[in-house]
Amino acid sequence: EPEVTQTPSHQVTQMGQEVILRCVPISNHLYFYWYRQILGQKVEFLVSFYNNEISEKSEIFDDQFSVERPDGSNFTLKIRSTKLEDSAMYFCASRVSGAYNEQFFGPGTRLTVL
Amino acid sequence: ILNVEQSPQSLHVQEGDSTNFTCSFPSSNFYALHWYRWETAKSPEALFVMTLNGDEKKKGRISATLNTKEGYSYLYIKGSQPEDSATYLCAFIPISNFGNEKLTFGTGTRLTIIP
């Protein structure tokens, strides 16, 4: 059964460093998302991506964040200069086009910023 | 800011017992409500996408109902088994998010089944 994959499963970085979180969505999906969950808080939306451009972004998704779909398979989230408060579990999700379709989530990348 | 809440936050249930928990969401501008099951170290797994007032959906021992007029959805598990232990998340989509369909999540209910 097709699934969304994410790498790495855990990333530890120093404050101020750049990180790239990688996702491989399901191949026929057209909508892509990043969500995150800070420990003890709700899962929150970061950004959605459709037709090779950002379709919506949250207030969290400031200039330090960027997303890219460099080829036909990968979908990446880059944080240019990490802060302590960026420590969270980051989830990638994808779905087919059309209304009311479920989003398929990856297992997440746990980012720890020291 | 959309207020999506779940209760209880955690629940311990004896194996074999049935249980239910609640997701509440804004009753105006409803578009869809998703339920997800999330086991530790695994991907959140979609259970149901609820779209119409009065919807009732079922998957094995798990079922869900939807009341959009009063802004709540119930998830029921019949005859709990140890493998039902997980966090159950609901996620709301208002009509303003039609097309993009970004999810606004509740706090989750952490269910532990006691053998």
Side-chain angles (χ1 to χ4, degrees), chain A residues 4-8 19-26 29-35 45-57 61 66-78 90-95 103-104 106 109, chain B residues 100:
Chain A
V4 177
T5 59
Q6 290 186 242
T7 54
V19 294
I20 297 176
L21 309 183
R22 291 185 166 80
C23 169
V24 179
I26 295 172
H29 286 189
L30 298 178
Y31 287 81
F32 311 108
Y33 305 84
W34 284 99
Y35 296 88
F45 167 80
L46 290 178
V47 66
S48 56
F49 194 86
Y50 171 71
N51 202 25
N52 286 318
E53 60 182 23
I54 290 174
S55 51
E56 187 170 348
K57 58 184 180 180
F61 195 89
S66 62
V67 289
E68 200 176 38
R69 189 155 159 82
D71 51 41
S73 58
N74 291 285
F75 181 49
T76 62
L77 175 70
K78 184 194 289 187
Y90 287 79
F91 291 100
C92 171
S94 68
R95 69 173 176 93
Q103 292 181 25
F104 289 78
T109 293
Chain B
N100 175 282

Side-chain angles (χ1 to χ4, degrees), chain A residues 4 31 33 35 37 41-45 48-49 55-57 89 91 95 98-108, chain B residues 2-5 31-32 34 36 38 41-44 46 49 51 89 93 97-107:
Chain A
V4 177
Y31 287 81
Y33 305 84
Y35 296 88
Q37 187 187 37
Q41 298 185 22
K42 295 181 180 182
V43 176
E44 55 189 351
F45 167 80
S48 56
F49 194 86
S55 51
E56 187 170 348
K57 58 184 180 180
M89 180 74 92
F91 291 100
R95 69 173 176 93
Y100 305 125
N101 288 302
E102 64 188 270
Q103 292 181 25
F104 289 78
F105 280 78
Chain B
L2 297 172
N3 198 23
V4 182
E5 300 295 337
Y31 177 74
H34 292 224
Y36 284 86
W38 182 23
K42 294 189 178 178
S43 304
V49 179
T51 59
L89 296 167
I93 306 175
N97 286 347
F98 163 77
N100 175 282
E101 298 199 14
K102 72 176 185 185
L103 301 171
T104 298
F105 282 88
T107 44

